[in-house]
């Protein structure tokens, strides 16, 4: 039985930046607490200030180290930073990611920083539904920047990154064919490229390859007027952080000037509304007659008395009845 | 404008094993062709015979080679084999997987084998919706075995494997901490473990580790009466295929004897019905007043006049109106 929560008090504390209240609210989101509806309403007046930055890239490029570097630089610039680290939670990947997280422990005692891991496993539609609500909590808690970091291996992670105002794609030298193969997808989601480990052999080649990709992409796509910049970093030595912050600011200015920020946030809101509505409809479908209706139809489909489309139609009819 | 299709003729041809008809039907599924409802109804009487085997494991364990080995062994046993190779289609992974597929070309001229890659990218809820329909096509086409191979990196891929009657998890020596980290998830989804590259150093250690995991898991979970077997293979040299087929048969016998096959297929059907229903409801939600309703609500949420839950409620109200 979920505990009844004093939502007003909890949101007030979170808006004051009390870490325990923030953590508690995100847990309510993750657990799909029955008072979530109330939480969302209470958070709304406090939201809309944070800048949302998505950070993704293939495994091994140094995402956690880069996140940590950016936190340090943003703190030095006086910004409060909330981080959502999205774990795709494949049965095959849990350990390595958790290990990486340890790197961020240097920020553990800084109250201007809040870091939270979220697992996609078990959530309907990955994090389509839970992540934006968690972002909303951090926004309401007054963080100037909310970083969403994902390992970028699956569709749901990519969707999460698409929630951001600005998406940073991290790459590293020596990925070889990787970049070429990744071309279409990467061009599609990146606002900013960061080539990390830029002190390693092959960094120049990686940057050159990226430049070609960007140039070709622009011809093919006749995209918007933003030209994706490429920044070099060595996150393990905190090198290049200022350059990243600079292009992030430039992108933010561009978003604002072009009206693109408003468009992106409306798109995000549409996705959010849709995900919540589907989540609710799904709960109703599965629960028709205490679940008996779906079980009955499933038996009929498994027994080939009914095809699944006909069964789905009957289920929807019952939902509407 | 989608072309009008003679569904009856196409399904009759597919049921006769005509590769072009099978391929065409799977394309209709992938493209969410308007006649899909009709296709599903026409396929249903032909389905229910195939055994569904899921094959997954972390990158680098030799999934494609193992699939190829199993195809060869199943063909030698007189079985017709359909393969769905699921690509998670991350922007960072496309190329490598496509490369792997080339390995399977040795079966290209065998009409008793049908291999098809499916991309998860762009599909709502990953492949929750399209994969079971593609499986249905292969089942109706009279394949004795349908292998579903996934790279197993994200939730949607794991969900797909859960569609199978029997799930084979592939591992390889030298994954070190990987197996420990993967423990919970792997135990949850595996019916059969295969340790591939068993000629390499560390194979004994991997098998030992797995045995411990299985023993511990059984204590913790008080699971069903099936004891997950561990089979060693060297897929690159076709070694161990017979052992894998043997445990697959044993698992199938167990599924049948325990009534578990019926239960799993009903669960699969329930998931399928739910996915189709949600897909349809989603289309209706997004399309209310030609999309204007969602856009309007999204603007209100982005402008903080409304919280996303309240907006979702209004959207659902309109759907019901």
């Amino acid at each position: 039985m979920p505990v009844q929560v004093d939502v007003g008090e909890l949101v007030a504390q979170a808006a004051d930046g009390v870490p325990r209240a923030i953590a508690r609210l995100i847990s309510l989101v993750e657990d799909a607490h029955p008072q979530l509806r109330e939480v969302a309403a209470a958070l709304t007046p406090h939201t809309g200030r944070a800048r949302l930055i998505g950070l993704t890239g293939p495994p091994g490029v140094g995402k956690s180290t880069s996140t940590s570097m950016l936190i340090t630089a943003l703190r030095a610039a006086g910004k409060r930073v909330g981080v959502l680290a999205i774990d795709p939670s494949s049965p095959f990947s849990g350990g390595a990611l958790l290990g990486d997280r340890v790197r961020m422990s240097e920020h553990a005692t800084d109250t201007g920083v809040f870091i939270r891991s979220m697992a996609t496993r078990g959530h309907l539609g990955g994090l389509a539904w839970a992540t934006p609500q968690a972002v909303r909590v951090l926004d309401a808690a007054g963080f100037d920047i909310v970083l969403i970091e994902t390992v970028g291996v699956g569709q749901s992670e990519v969707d999460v990154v698409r929630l951001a105002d600005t998406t940073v794609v991290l790459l590293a030298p020596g990925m070889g064919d990787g970049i070429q193969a990744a071309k279409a997808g990467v061009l599609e989601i990146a606002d900013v490229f960061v080539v990390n480990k830029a002190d390693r052999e092959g960094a120049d080649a990686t940057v050159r390859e990226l430049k070609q990709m960007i140039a070709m992409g622009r011809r093919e796509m006749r995209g918007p007027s933003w030209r994706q910049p490429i920044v070099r970093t060595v996150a393990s030595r905190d090198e290049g952080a200022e350059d990243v912050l600079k292009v992030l600011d430039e992108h933010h200015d561009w978003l604002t000037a072009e009206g693109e920020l408003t468009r992106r946030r409306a798109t995000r809101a549409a996705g959010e509304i849709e995900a919540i509505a589907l989540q609710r409809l799904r709960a109703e479908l599965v629960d028709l007659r205490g679940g008996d209706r779906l079980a009955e139809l499933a038996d009929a489909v498994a027994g080939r008395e009914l095809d699944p489309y006909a069964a789905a139609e009957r289920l929807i009819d019952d939902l509407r009845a």
Side-chain angles (χ1 to χ4, degrees), chain A residues 97-182:
Chain A
L97 293 170
L98 288 174
D100 276 356
R101 299 283 168 254
V102 177
R103 290 210 58 114
M104 298 210 201
S105 60
E106 59 186 285
H107 304 289
T109 55
D110 180 352
T111 55
V113 177
F114 183 94
I115 300 174
R116 174 78 169 230
S117 279
M118 287 184 81
T120 58
R121 190 169 172 76
H123 282 282
L124 171 75
L127 281 175
W129 161 78
T131 309
Q133 308 310 321
V135 166
R136 216 165 258 284
V137 172
L138 294 179
D139 185 359
F143 292 103
D144 303 287
I145 305 282
V146 175
L147 285 175
I148 313 171
E149 183 209 313
T150 89
V151 76
V153 286
Q155 180 60 36
S156 62
E157 287 71 43
V158 172
D159 288 342
V160 166
V161 169
R162 285 198 173 128
L163 293 176
D165 297 330
T166 301
T167 297
V168 178
V169 171
L170 277 166
L171 297 168
M175 294 178 52
D177 298 339
I179 296 182
Q180 274 308 321

Side-chain angles (χ1 to χ4, degrees), chain A residues 71-83:
Chain A
I71 294 171
T72 304
L74 286 163
R75 291 298 293 144
K79 307 281 188 195
R80 299 183 65 231
V81 188
V83 178

Side-chain angles (χ1 to χ4, degrees), chain A residues 265-296:
Chain A
R265 291 188 169 187
T267 304
R268 182 161 79 224
E272 214 177 329
I273 297 167
E274 191 189 310
I276 293 169
L278 280 178
Q279 161 97 347
R280 184 157 304 191
L281 290 170
R282 179 181 173 277
E284 287 187 36
L285 284 177
V286 170
D287 212 43
L288 282 168
R289 277 204 265 128
D292 286 351
R293 184 57 173 146
L294 180 55
E296 193 177 277

Side-chain angles (χ1 to χ4, degrees), chain A residues 3-4 11 40 57 64 102 140 147 177 180 198 209 212 225 234 242 290:
Chain A
V3 177
Q4 182 74 12
V11 168
S64 291
V102 177
L147 285 175
D177 298 339
Q180 274 308 321
E209 225 183 311
Q212 282 172 356
S225 63
V234 185
E242 296 310 317

